[in-house]
Structures are given as C-alpha cells and as structure tokens.
Amino acid sequence: MWLINSSIGRKVVMSVTGIALILFLTFHCAMNIVALFSGEAYNMICELLGANWYAVVATIGLAGLAVIHIVFAFILTAQNRQARGSSRYDVATTVNAGKVEWASKNMLVLGVIILLGLLLHLFNFWYNMMFAEIMGFSAGHLPSDGFAFIIDTFSNPVYVVLYVIWLCAIWFHLTHGFWSAMQTLGVSGKIWFCRWKVIGFIYTTLLMLGFLVVVLACSEPLLLCRRLLIVKP
C-alpha cells in the first residue's frame, strides 16, 4: 500500500494524523479554558466525558492517531538520516542553509520531549480520571473532579516548569508541522505557502497560550493571589 510503503504516502499519513491531533488539542484547550471561569462547569464536562463508551472509543481512536503519528515520524526521520548519510555532519555553506527552520532541524528532539510530556500528562490526568473510573479506584479525588486534579498538579512548581517546557516544545513542533502538512496535502501553492505559515503561527500561538494560561493561573503563586483578593478585610 503506497500510504505505508512510499515516502510520500508516509508524509500524507503524518499530515492527516497531525491535523486530527491539532483539532483535538483545540477541543482540549477550549475545555481547559472553561476551568478558568468555573470549576463546576469544568467538572460537568469531565463527567460527561468520563468512562462512557463513546469517550473510551474516542480515547482509543486518539491513542491510535498519536501512535501512528509518532511511529511514522521516527520512520521518516530514520529515512532522512539514511538518505543524507555523512552529509548531515557537514557545515552548511549554501545561501539557503540559514533559512532552514530550527524546528525543522530538531523535530526528533522536539518529538521526544513531547512524547515524555504526553506520558506525564496521561499519568497526572487520564490515569487518575478515566482509568481510575474504569478500574474502580480513587486517586485522592473523585475521577470526575478534574478541577481538583488541575489544582493539585499545578500547585506543584516542578510540574509547572515541566508543562511550560512541554508546551514550548509543542509550539515549535506545530508551527513547523502546520504549514508542512498543508504543503504535503497539496493545498499550499506559491501564494498560500506564506499565508499558511502565518496562519499556522497565529493559530498555534493562541492554542498554546490557552493551555499556558490555565497552567499559570492554577499555579501556587496565582492561586495564593486569588485567595488574598477574595478575602474580605
């Protein structure tokens, strides 16, 4: 099958799965922003997306997309390295060498950071919520009390730093991956190439800022400030 056996096919699979994961991140970010305004409303969404059959099926589907994206990323990286051979160690002397994006040259490193951050995120939330509900155990809070898990996680400054690093890595990855996917799928001609880069930059930046605001707003210093502000003199 050409989607698996050819380099172009693998890039198409990478692009389609990448766009699907970006759409999921958009939904996830919108859901997280709800927590900034109402913990109860956020928990209502968590309860709706608990261990119901449709949520479990969606989770399995997302896991499949992520695995396919990661596996194909490693395959394409290995192919590119093999094709370049020892030339990848040469010092770039061409005029266009300086135009190669940092993210493009370090996609493997960024991918590893993102994968490690994903495992941490799954442990902090999915394991304590959906998995706990399926298996019938409690990790300190009710599985549907997602807001409590957010507060517990980001009240730890170590987790705040790790999540900020993770979000920065995702930002670098997506700013390159967004327009690259459009180019691979053939919707990025001469005119739209620069436009997709700008659209991808703005969209990815707003998306990651949404996640970052939630992390920082639920960190210990800002939580303390919020408590002080609502305390009556």
Side-chain angles (χ1 to χ4, degrees), residues 2-176:
W2 73 274
L3 284 175
I4 300 176
N5 298 326
S6 68
S7 177
I8 296 177
R10 294 188 187 101
K11 289 181 179 179
V12 170
V13 172
M14 278 277 293
S15 300
V16 173
T17 54
I19 291 173
L21 291 172
I22 290 175
L23 292 175
F24 167 71
L25 285 175
T26 303
F27 166 77
H28 195 5
C29 181
M31 174 180 169
N32 283 6
I33 289 176
V34 172
L36 295 176
F37 301 96
S38 173
E40 292 182 0
Y42 180 80
N43 285 344
M44 287 177 61
I45 299 175
C46 291
E47 187 173 0
L48 179 65
L49 300 176
N52 301 299
W53 67 269
Y54 49 84
V56 173
V57 170
T59 301
I60 294 173
L62 284 168
L65 288 173
V67 169
I68 292 171
H69 191 80
I70 292 168
V71 170
F72 275 64
F74 277 101
I75 292 174
L76 286 171
T77 300
Q79 284 183 335
N80 291 336
R81 286 177 177 270
Q82 186 177 10
R84 288 196 301 267
S86 59
S87 63
R88 67 179 182 270
Y89 299 108
D90 296 340
V91 178
T93 57
T94 62
V95 175
N96 293 327
K99 296 182 180 180
V100 179
E101 292 183 351
W102 181 89
S104 177
K105 294 186 292 184
N106 295 276
M107 288 297 273
L108 181 60
V109 176
L110 291 172
V112 171
I113 294 174
I114 292 171
L115 178 59
L116 293 176
L118 177 61
L119 294 176
L120 176 65
H121 186 65
L122 290 174
F123 171 75
N124 286 333
F125 294 98
W126 179 82
Y127 174 80
N128 292 323
M129 296 174 68
M130 180 178 285
F131 185 76
E133 185 175 349
I134 293 174
M135 300 304 295
F137 69 88
S138 175
H141 302 288
L142 292 174
S144 61
D145 195 357
F147 188 70
F149 286 111
I150 289 179
I151 298 300
D152 283 354
T153 300
F154 299 128
S155 61
N156 186 332
V158 175
Y159 281 139
V160 172
V161 173
L162 291 176
Y163 270 81
V164 169
I165 294 173
W166 184 42
L167 292 174
C168 288
I170 296 175
W171 181 86
F172 277 111
H173 187 83
L174 292 185
T175 51
H176 170 78

